[in-house]
Amino acid sequence: MFGISPIGWFHTLGSLPALVVAAYMLARHGRIVPRSVPGAIYFASMVLGGATAFLVAKQPVSYAIGGLTLLLIAVGYGVHRVSFLGRLRRYIETVSLSFSVLLLLVPTVTETLTRVPDGAPLASSVTSPIVLGSHAALLLAFIVGLIVQIIVLRREGRMPAYR
């Protein structure tokens, strides 16, 4: 079905929880919250998806996306331990994890448009106008979302901390 190998299905199904919990956290918190239950699910699913991308990759860019995703996840989940960065840690965390969502969505949209419906996909190739337009829309949403996230983080930084 859809011309996907067993390891491709493992990669796809293993990555799907990241989409769900990313959407949840972005809607609920406005960002990926790494130190939470959904954050742990996102981490595990993204590591699985990023690592298995090397096994299913057919385009050279896929290797770069897989490697960059793993790097962004490591930075996003590890930066809180680097105390000398101070408040900058939240910005690095937010930017890294938001960028990882973009790297999850680009291949997801591409693969969906070039495989669905089975036998008569919406796009004939990765250079099809619908695929390129979708990529442009994702990039625009990422840029706007990142600007909003940074504004919110700046405002939170000015507010007194209540515990």
Side-chain angles (χ1 to χ4, degrees):
M1 180 196 280
F2 302 114
I4 301 177
S5 67
I7 191 70
W9 278 112
F10 180 70
H11 165 78
T12 300
L13 296 175
S15 300
L16 283 177
L19 285 172
V20 174
V21 295
Y24 166 77
M25 286 188 286
L26 289 169
R28 174 98 195 248
H29 305 288
R31 63 190 207 86
I32 303 297
V33 181
R35 287 165 298 287
S36 67
V37 172
I41 294 168
Y42 184 76
F43 176 82
S45 184
M46 287 297 286
V47 169
L48 176 70
T52 57
F54 297 102
L55 302 173
V56 298
K58 292 186 176 125
Q59 304 290 328
V61 71
S62 301
Y63 296 104
I65 290 172
L68 186 54
T69 298
L70 293 172
L71 176 65
L72 290 167
I73 292 296
V75 168
Y77 279 80
V79 73
H80 76 280
R81 297 175 192 266
V82 185
S83 59
F84 73 86
L85 292 173
R87 288 185 183 178
L88 191 57
R89 293 180 294 186
R90 292 248 347 235
Y91 292 94
I92 294 169
E93 177 183 277
T94 299
V95 170
S96 297
L97 296 178
S98 293
F99 192 22
S100 75
V101 174
L102 176 67
L103 292 181
L104 172 64
L105 287 172
V106 168
T108 299
V109 166
T110 303
E111 290 297 314
T112 301
L113 291 174
T114 57
R115 293 179 185 263
V116 176
D118 198 17
L122 296 171
S124 58
S125 74
V126 295
T127 58
S128 153
I130 191 170
V131 173
L132 297 177
S134 297
H135 290 174
L138 287 172
L139 181 60
L140 180 62
F142 168 71
I143 292 168
V144 170
L146 202 53
I147 290 168
V148 170
Q149 288 175 321
I150 289 170
I151 290 169
V152 168
L153 286 174
R154 287 197 65 194
R155 286 184 181 157
E156 287 176 358
R158 292 184 190 147
M159 299 169 77
Y162 295 105
R163 297 185 195 258

